[in-house]
Amino acid sequence: MRTNMSARHIWGFERGDIEMRLAREAGWRRSELVWERAMEAGNRAWDEGRVGRARWLFGLADRIAMMGFGKGDPRRATAPAALARVFARQGRVRKARARARRALTEWAGVGAFIEAVEIRPRARSSLFHLRMEVRHRDTFHDNLRTRYRNFAEETRETMAGLAGDGPLPAHRHFGRWRGERPSIFDDTRRVLSACLLIPDPPGG
């Protein structure tokens, strides 16, 4: 895949890339991490005011998602939502709303995706916290899913606002990604990347 061939030059994929090795060992496809890094790079470009660069990267990520992610994967909605933000800033309202409506269509299955997520054990700072997680695993997982549903609803509200279906909220997305990004490669990382790899409002 041509996007993978160029990934070494754009996002730092090298033979000794530790994150790529961990992702592959966890069962992730290379395209998943390429998509994530493309979205991260697009958001950084947006934050730096390089709107054209952001648009190109989000377009690339969109093609990766449409070719590599199955129906019902919420990440298929993220790049169109990001492009809607870009087009809105450029004053291209019709294009922005069209991308946002496509994002909303892809987002429709996010609830079912969250219910089915595989939540792998997290690293804990102490044996006590590890034992508490094991003892109350069902409660821990339920709380995580509730939290992800809240993220997903905020993302839906942003998409709806960009589509012109109501006011555009000032939710932060990429601004929370670094703090929320799981260190492990499981479905929770897929969900959070889908929710949070969307540019924040200009100036916000």
Side-chain angles (χ1 to χ4, degrees), residues 182-197:
S183 60
I184 62 174
F185 293 90
D186 66 355
D187 288 340
T188 65
R189 185 160 175 150
R190 293 180 172 107
V191 169
L192 285 174
S193 64
C195 292
L196 299 181
L197 287 178

Side-chain angles (χ1 to χ4, degrees), residues 60-121:
L60 174 61
D62 191 23
R63 293 191 293 275
I64 293 171
M66 295 308 291
M67 288 188 295
F69 302 164
K71 292 282 188 181
D73 189 322
R75 291 173 297 178
R76 288 166 61 104
T78 310
L83 286 167
R85 180 82 82 188
V86 171
F87 287 132
R89 180 168 179 176
Q90 294 176 329
R92 303 170 72 180
V93 176
R94 291 181 63 182
K95 272 186 170 290
R97 290 183 175 179
R99 293 300 192 284
R101 283 192 290 271
R102 178 158 74 86
L104 283 168
T105 298
E106 296 286 359
W107 201 248
V110 68
F113 192 91
I114 291 173
E115 289 305 312
V117 293
E118 176 195 12
I119 303 173
R120 296 181 183 172

Side-chain angles (χ1 to χ4, degrees), residues 48-67:
E48 294 163 4
R50 296 185 296 153
V51 179
R53 174 68 172 172
R55 177 184 167 186
W56 183 85
L57 287 161
F58 294 144
L60 174 61
D62 191 23
R63 293 191 293 275
I64 293 171
M66 295 308 291
M67 288 188 295

